[in-house]
Every structure is written in structure tokens, then in C-alpha cells.
Amino acid sequence: TVSVLYWKASTTKHTPYSTTTMGGCAISCMSMVDYAQQSENEMIKAIRELGPQSIEIGTNDGKPESRIRRSPSMQALSQADIFKKFYGGEHGSMAIALEEMCKKLGSARAMSYRPIEKTAKEELTENGKTKMWEYIYLKPTQHLTYQQMWQKMMAFGEGLSETVGLPAGARVGLYEDTRYEWMVSCYGIWSRKMVGVTVYANLGDDALVYAIKEAELPAMMLNGKLVGNLIKLCKKAGIAVPKLIVTDAVPAGVDTEGAQIWSFDELCAKHAQARTPELPANPKELALIMYTSGTTGAPKGVMMSHGNIYATVFGLRRRLDQVLGDVNYDASEEEQESYLGVLPLAHILEFAAENILLMRGGRIGYGTPRTLTDTSARPHGDFKEFRPIFFAGVPRIFDTIKKAVEGKLPAKGEFRRRVFDRAYEERKAALAKGFDTPYWNDRVFANPRALLGGRCKMIISGGAPMSAGTYEFLSVVFCCAVGQGYGLTETCAATSIQRYYDLQKENVGGLLSVCEVKLRDVDPWKHTDQPHPRGEVLIRGPTITQGYYKQPEKTKEAFLDDGWFATGDVGMFAADGTLKIIGRTKALAKNSHGEYIAMESLESLLVQNDLAMPNGVCILVDSHEAFICALVLTDEAKAMKFAQANNISGSWPDVLEQKDFRKAAVASLQATAKAAGRKPFEMVKNVAVLSDEWTPENGILTAASKLRRSEVDKKYKDIIAKLFKETL
């Protein structure tokens, strides 16, 4: 009956009255069926019965800071016990741990990838409009077993030592996008007790040269297409060109005179019979120098020991195992766990996530941002090919996924949209009670779930705050847990992550087993604030790294004598022990009335507005004014839809500068802020809506997609000055 009603209401033309009646009857029947099938989710129930997500220990001895907080599971342990348990653990390093896993799993698949066959521009018709669209055609999937992966790692390491001529302790650059060769190279470097130096592939020319000079790199692994620019930059800077090991071919015509270059594949083939040498077993030895993309100044090289990385992988895994469940090492190829690698491997979250999956005996499928879905990939996207059980990303990726799904929904008021809206609200309510909705999951949310491959259990988000709207949407529509986490490169990412289906949205969860946290007073936030303590987040534990390479003054500022790392982030603990990041000590601005504006927090809220692009809001504060302004990025589709909704005539892109359009934009942004309970001084008074792009390549964003405010100030100096002077 339900199926018939659904079909009739969605395919038969009726009068407005009969459509509403028939459609409402069908939706009510569906709702009744779902309610009858709802059942308590045992995992949600078990996790919610675990109690507080962090607990206080000791006293603060009268200092201007909070008491120390830990995971309840570590309550009875001393700091020494925690280090002994996680800092290298029973292996000493990830190299020894992975060798053990490779011996155990042998012929099981460990890594998969799809080589690009060709790219082609073809006509695409969408919403009645035809345009040229670039498609990426991919070859059949290639696989490496655990045994083959390990042998390649050993071959690369021996090649570095015997063919390239590098000694133990040498620093080797990793300057490549996320692909299997990156991880193979890293473990190969470790196998010969060398040190990996990671550099984002989109870090920027100046930062790249800085890292090469500071780390004095004798060799680098990089993509062939980057060789020409690298050689040119080194010669211009007057520094020696490192020895180069390249993935893919160097383009024809590139001047490589004076450079020593080896093919990654040929180097591994030459040393295919390499034996496993003595692997690093001292957790205190340096493993990685990971260059971060600072929002101001030159990049900093974070020094990570083998013990730091081991603690991160096994500390974070303890939390993820709650969601992913027990490991079946004997799973078939179809049932084997998989992970989709998309974030840069120079991002510690991605590096940790991939290692966790390998420690669970799973398979890493390597994709690219452009081939994730069927939109541009042929024969199909990475999600469909690799069917991940979990994957990690940053809020910008998830904002884009959310808006892509919303863009395919029927218009408000249509029958199928009313079904979706009812299913959404009822699933959200059920999850809040700890129940699941199998009927709605199958009938309404199956297609969105298929977008992520159909079996995703958990999404991990890091790098920046995820908006409450995106968090809720992902939890409800994709039928998987969303674990928003918190950590920094300096803490190896692992500080906190949300529990399974924690629907509080705007916190970053409870503390992981590998760390302790306290809040230090910093104006205007105090640990004595009511109802919740607030202050700068300080972190201690086996994941705290060794400082910044060759930068003792900056190390001294952030890495305190008693083992604490000062994050510069402002946090707040709720009564249940969850941590919420509410701002930055250096991303805090004061208006002329002395009121503080947490710019990043407000930007993460306003980016939810229908007019804004992901990562497309920059809050502007003038200390001589009592009000704030904003720069907002949009595109043609969003802008023209917004104009139509507000009865504004005009053509793209001129409409963006029309006063009536900008007035409507201000009103819309104010409504978004007001709905979230923001205060009057946090409402924008003026806005410039732009059709620009902000990317790491043009210098407005860091490689981790954070705003470089100083670059924004330079680029938009005249526009910003005008915003604070004019009256709309």
C-alpha cells in the first residue's frame, strides 16, 4: 500500500487539493512503517552509558589555569605509565609494527589505485544548459598485497642507500600528492633509519624553497611534473638541487641539466630483492619533519619521533575501534575493510588514518579530489570503486558534499522533497533517543549513502571547525557516525574526537587516552568562567612532538618546560567533559567598544549561508569601529538563485555590486547569525560579495585551507576600506 501511494503521489497529476491529500496520506503511511521498524541502536546505547568524556585530576595549585583533564580510561595511570603504554608501545616504531602486520597478512590487498588513462572535454547538459566538461578516464584498478607493499618499501629504502648514496640520518623530502608511492617512500626512508621531510604539494614556491634550505635536503621524492619548477627555484635561490626520485615521467622539454634523477619504479625494480634491515626501535629517534603551512610567516618544520607517531596511531585507533568494531583478518576481498585516501599525506590526520587502517588489516584506495564521484570520473568515482568503511577530510570537503546533495533535492513543496524532509526530521529525532530508522535508511537515504560507496561507518573531520548544519546533515543523511576531532601537527593530531553519534554538533568530543589537557587563563577567558571553564588549550602526553626544526625561539614559545604544548586555541569544557574550541588567541579581534569577535568561529557559521561558497567567508574587524563587515565568495548559480529569491533583477557578475543585492546579502547573513544565537555586535553591517577564488595556489589560503588574513588585507585593501566607510 505504501509503495502504491508513493508511486501514485509522485507520478500522477492531481489537482492541488488531491495532491496534498494523497501525498500527505502516503507520507503518513511511510512514517508509520518507519516508526514500527525503529529499534534501539545498541552501539549508541553502550557508548552513551560510558559516562563523562573527560575527568579532572589533581589540583591547580592556585595557578591561573584549570585542573588537568584526562580520558576516564587513564584515570589511575601516572604520566610515566601512559608513556610506557603508547610511546612506541610493544614495537618501538610503526616500521616494526607494519612489518609484523605484513608477515601476518601476506597476500591480502593493502593498497589500490587507478592510473589515469586520459582526460577529455565533452559536452555536459545540466538543467537545460550545455557546457564543456572535463572527464578523467581511469584504467582498471591496480593492487599491492601486504607482502608486495613491504617488499617495495624495502626496495625503495635500499635504493636510497645504495644507488642514491644516502647515509643513515639523511633527510629525504616527500613532495607529492596522496598516492601509494608516498607511503611506500616514507617507510622505505625509515627502513634505513633516515628522516622523512614532508612538504605539502601546494605549499607555495617560497615556502618550498624555505623548507629545502632549512632542512638541507640531499634528496626528494616528487612528481615528475614538478621537477622543472623545482630546479628553476633552486637555481634562482642559489641552492643545490636535491637528488630527485620521480613518480610519473618528467615532461618533455624540461631542462634537467645538472640534476640527478631516478625513476621511482626503476629504483624499486633495481632493488626488488632487498632484505629487511634492522628497523628503527628507539621511539625517541626522529622520524618525520612535517612542515606546516602557517597563516603568518615562514612554515615551521614539526619534529616527530617514532614514539609520537606510534602513540597517535594506536591512541586514535582505540576510539575508532568503538565504531569500526572487531577486525576480521580473514575477510574476503569483497568484505575487507577499506579506506579512501584523499587528504594530503603531509597532513598528519591523513597519515594517521591510513596507518590505522593498515594496522586493522584493511586496504587503502588512493583517489583524488577530482575523481571522488561519478561527476568527472569514468567509468565511475573513487567512492564507488573503493567503498570505504571510513575516511577523513576537512570541513571544506564535507560542506561541498552537503551542498551537492542538497542541490539534487526536489524543490520545496514537491512530494519527494516532503518525503525527504519528513524522513530527515524523524531520523534526527530517533538518533537523539538512541534509535535507528531502517525504513527511512533504505527508502530515502540509500542514494546519498551510495554516494560514499554504500558501507561507510564513520567520517572523521579535522583541520578546522565543522559547522553545526553540516555535522547534523552528514549524521542523518549518510547514516554514519561523524567524528569531529581536534589536534594540531604539533600534537600529532590526536587530542580529542567525538563519540559515536554524539549529536551535540559543535564540540570536538572527549579526550583520547594519549593526552592530558588543561586551560590557561588568557584575556578575556578564564578557567573560573561560569557555567563552563574557558582558556587557552594546553596539551601534554606522548603525542607532543619535539619542537620546530632549527627554530629554538619559536619552540620555546609553544613547547613549555614542563611538557605542555600551548596551542593558541581557546577551548571550553562542558559538564559532560567534552571540549569545544571557541576561538584563537591570535584570531581574536576587539572592536571599538572593547567587545571580542572570534573571527574563525563566526566564519564557520556564516559559511552555511546559501550565498556562500565553502571556505568563502572572511570576517573583517576594525578596532576603531563598533561594527564588523565581511567578504563573501559566491558563484553564478548561488548568486542568481539568491537574487531571484529576493526579487532582485540583474545579470552575473554585475549583480554582485548592486546595492539592493548587497543589502539582501547583509540581511541574510544577519539572519544566519541570529538563528545561531549570536550577539548584535557579531552581525555584519556591510558585505562585499565576490566571484573570486581563494586557494593555496594564489596565496589566500594555507595548504590546510585556512585564511591568510594578512594576504586578504593586502589584496582587498581598497574594498575593505570602503566597506567601513559607506552606508548601504
Side-chain angles (χ1 to χ4, degrees):
T1 304
V2 172
S3 299
V4 171
L5 287 169
Y6 185 96
W7 178 80
K8 282 184 173 294
S10 59
T11 60
T12 309
K13 292 184 178 180
H14 304 282
T15 64
Y17 177 79
S18 63
T19 300
T20 301
T21 303
M22 179 65 78
C25 178
I27 294 171
S28 295
C29 288
M30 291 180 186
S31 181
M32 291 167 61
V33 173
D34 177 75
Y35 184 79
Q37 293 184 9
Q38 283 187 17
S39 58
E40 190 170 28
N41 186 308
E42 293 299 325
M43 188 177 295
I44 295 177
K45 179 183 176 182
I47 289 177
R48 289 181 181 176
E49 290 175 351
L50 290 176
Q53 300 198 43
S54 70
I55 56 171
E56 292 181 308
I57 62 170
T59 66
N60 67 355
D61 296 324
K63 297 177 182 178
E65 61 190 28
S66 72
R67 294 166 63 192
I68 295 172
R69 282 186 171 268
R70 280 185 184 175
S71 165
S73 63
M74 297 290 110
Q75 180 176 4
L77 298 185
S78 66
Q79 262 286 303
D81 291 334
I82 293 174
F83 266 82
K84 183 177 180 181
K85 185 178 181 67
F86 290 105
Y87 196 70
E90 62 186 83
H91 300 97
S93 73
M94 285 302 303
I96 295 175
L98 184 59
E99 180 194 26
E100 181 181 288
M101 189 61 64
C102 291
K103 287 179 179 178
K104 179 177 182 177
L105 295 177
S107 61
R109 289 176 175 175
M111 294 177 168
S112 300
Y113 62 97
R114 295 190 292 171
I116 294 177
E117 181 178 0
K118 65 176 182 178
T119 60
K121 288 191 174 182
E122 301 173 8
E123 286 190 350
L124 171 66
T125 302
E126 198 172 56
N127 298 325
K129 295 182 179 180
T130 300
K131 59 182 178 181
M132 297 305 293
W133 191 259
E134 186 173 80
Y135 291 98
I136 300 173
Y137 285 82
L138 299 158
K139 295 180 181 178
T141 302
Q142 306 295 305
H143 306 283
L144 288 177
T145 67
Y146 274 80
Q147 182 179 8
Q148 291 168 337
M149 176 187 71
W150 184 256
Q151 193 57 41
K152 230 176 184 35
M153 290 170 173
M154 295 306 100
F156 184 80
E158 184 177 278
L160 290 178
S161 178
E162 297 185 6
T163 297
V164 183
L166 302 181
R171 294 168 299 283
V172 182
L174 295 165
Y175 181 52
E176 172 62 289
D177 290 322
T178 297
R179 48 193 289 172
Y180 91 86
E181 293 96 333
W182 199 109
M183 188 68 85
V184 164
S185 297
C186 183
Y187 274 90
I189 290 166
W190 288 348
S191 75
R192 295 290 162 159
K193 297 186 178 180
M194 299 177 190
V195 179
V197 180
T198 73
V199 183
Y200 280 99
N202 59 356
L203 192 62
D205 289 349
D206 292 342
L208 173 61
V209 171
Y210 181 91
I212 294 173
K213 289 175 68 176
E214 184 177 77
E216 300 177 89
L217 297 180
M220 294 184 73
M221 186 280 289
L222 74 164
N223 193 283
K225 67 184 179 183
L226 303 175
V227 166
N229 186 53
L230 180 75
I231 294 174
K232 189 184 304 180
L233 290 172
C234 288
K235 289 182 177 179
K236 183 179 178 181
I239 58 177
V241 177
K243 297 176 180 180
L244 306 177
I245 302 99
V246 300
T247 60
D248 300 339
V250 177
V254 171
D255 182 6
T256 61
E257 184 180 356
Q260 292 181 271
I261 301 175
W262 291 267
S263 158
F264 175 91
D265 289 334
E266 290 175 2
L267 189 67
C268 290
K270 180 178 179 180
H271 296 274
Q273 302 304 314
R275 294 184 178 182
T276 300
E278 181 183 351
L279 299 172
N282 182 354
K284 294 181 180 179
E285 288 182 0
L286 186 61
L288 288 177
I289 300 173
M290 190 167 275
Y291 274 90
T292 65
S293 51
T295 55
T296 59
K300 299 188 289 288
V302 178
M303 297 186 291
M304 299 177 180
S305 70
H306 283 288
N308 292 149
I309 296 168
Y310 189 95
T312 291
V313 172
F314 284 90
L316 186 55
R317 179 184 168 175
R318 282 169 63 98
R319 183 62 58 86
L320 298 190
D321 282 352
Q322 293 178 345
V323 179
L324 303 181
D326 296 333
V327 180
N328 178 11
Y329 293 110
D330 298 319
S332 65
E333 289 183 356
E334 185 68 20
E335 296 172 337
Q336 184 187 20
E337 294 180 348
S338 60
Y339 174 86
L340 178 56
V342 178
L343 278 183
L345 266 165
H347 192 302
I348 184 59
L349 175 61
E350 178 68 21
F351 187 70
E354 291 192 18
N355 274 285
I356 288 169
L357 212 283
L358 290 175
M359 289 298 101
R360 286 180 60 90
R363 173 177 63 124
I364 302 169
Y366 288 99
T368 72
R370 294 182 62 201
T371 57
L372 286 179
T373 68
D374 298 351
T375 303
S376 298
R378 295 291 182 268
H380 51 254
D382 300 321
F383 278 119
K384 185 178 291 185
E385 177 67 21
F386 300 121
R387 301 171 60 241
I389 62 164
F390 86 101
F391 75 101
V394 293
R396 185 180 185 184
I397 291 175
F398 300 123
D399 288 339
T400 301
I401 290 174
K402 173 178 178 282
K403 291 190 176 185
V405 173
E406 289 176 329
K408 294 183 179 296
L409 292 176
K412 286 280 188 181
E414 289 188 16
F415 173 75
R416 288 183 298 132
R417 179 58 180 268
R418 289 163 59 203
V419 171
F420 179 88
D421 291 345
R422 173 73 71 89
Y424 185 99
E425 292 303 320
E426 292 190 355
R427 176 164 169 75
K428 181 174 72 172
L431 290 174
K433 295 185 297 183
F435 280 69
D436 207 351
T437 56
Y439 180 81
W440 287 135
N441 297 355
D442 180 57
R443 294 303 181 100
V444 174
F445 301 123
N447 285 340
R449 195 165 67 250
L451 182 65
L452 301 185
R455 61 173 190 161
C456 186
K457 295 181 179 181
M458 188 175 193
I459 290 168
I460 304 174
S461 177
M466 180 187 286
S467 68
T470 298
Y471 179 91
E472 179 186 283
F473 189 88
L474 295 176
S475 299
V476 173
V477 173
F478 291 104
C479 304
C480 64
V482 180
Q484 187 169 197
Y486 171 68
L488 301 89
T489 307
E490 292 87 343
T491 69
C492 278
T495 299
S496 69
I497 191 170
Q498 289 168 316
R499 286 177 177 171
Y500 184 81
Y501 279 119
D502 181 347
L503 299 181
Q504 296 181 77
K505 304 171 189 172
E506 291 185 312
N507 68 59
V508 291
L511 302 184
L512 297 175
S513 305
V514 287
C515 69
E516 296 178 321
V517 170
K518 64 181 179 180
L519 304 178
R520 179 171 66 176
D521 290 357
V522 54
D523 191 43
W525 300 286
K526 302 287 188 292
H527 75 283
T528 54
D529 289 346
Q530 295 296 328
H532 306 297
R534 303 186 298 175
E536 182 183 7
V537 177
L538 271 59
I539 305 170
R540 181 172 71 178
T543 59
I544 301 302
T545 52
Q546 299 177 337
Y548 301 119
Y549 188 65
K550 291 185 179 180
Q551 298 189 42
E553 291 304 315
K554 289 184 178 179
T555 296
K556 189 175 180 180
E557 288 176 12
F559 293 83
L560 310 183
D561 292 337
D562 50 357
W564 293 95
F565 174 74
T567 66
D569 291 321
V570 179
M572 176 189 82
F573 276 105
D576 65 355
T578 53
L579 176 64
K580 181 178 181 181
I581 303 302
I582 58 177
R584 284 281 295 170
T585 58
K586 295 180 181 178
L588 186 71
K590 188 187 291 185
N591 65 18
S592 62
H593 288 176
E595 295 160 323
Y596 286 93
I597 293 93
M599 295 181 286
E600 289 181 349
S601 175
L602 190 54
E603 287 160 356
S604 69
L605 168 66
L606 296 183
V607 79
Q608 300 175 56
N609 188 278
D610 290 340
L611 189 58
M613 297 290 288
N615 254 34
V617 176
C618 179
I619 294 297
L620 308 169
V621 182
D622 188 326
S623 61
H624 301 290
E625 300 290 351
F627 61 90
I628 62 173
C629 301
L631 303 176
V632 175
L633 299 189
T634 193
D635 62 14
E636 183 177 1
K638 293 179 185 297
M640 299 314 295
K641 184 177 180 180
F642 181 84
Q644 183 179 14
N646 288 275
N647 299 314
I648 297 169
S649 59
S651 58
W652 173 265
D654 297 337
V655 69
L656 303 182
E657 298 184 17
Q658 293 177 195
K659 186 168 282 191
D660 55 350
F661 185 91
R662 291 174 57 207
K663 279 185 175 180
V666 168
S668 181
L669 292 169
Q670 289 179 346
T672 299
K674 189 174 182 180
R678 295 289 181 164
K679 297 175 181 177
F681 65 83
E682 296 177 294
M683 308 287 176
V684 298
K685 185 179 178 181
N686 204 348
V687 63
V689 186
L690 310 168
S691 59
D692 296 353
E693 281 190 284
W694 294 343
T695 67
E697 287 72 23
N698 64 27
I700 300 297
L701 299 182
T702 71
S705 296
K706 295 182 180 180
L707 278 172
R708 296 185 189 271
R709 297 185 191 277
S710 60
E711 296 302 316
V712 172
D713 291 342
K714 289 179 191 176
K715 181 177 177 66
Y716 299 103
K717 179 181 178 181
D718 295 339
I719 292 176
I720 292 171
K722 183 180 178 182
L723 287 175
F724 282 101
K725 288 179 181 178
E726 72 174 349
T727 302
L728 276 181

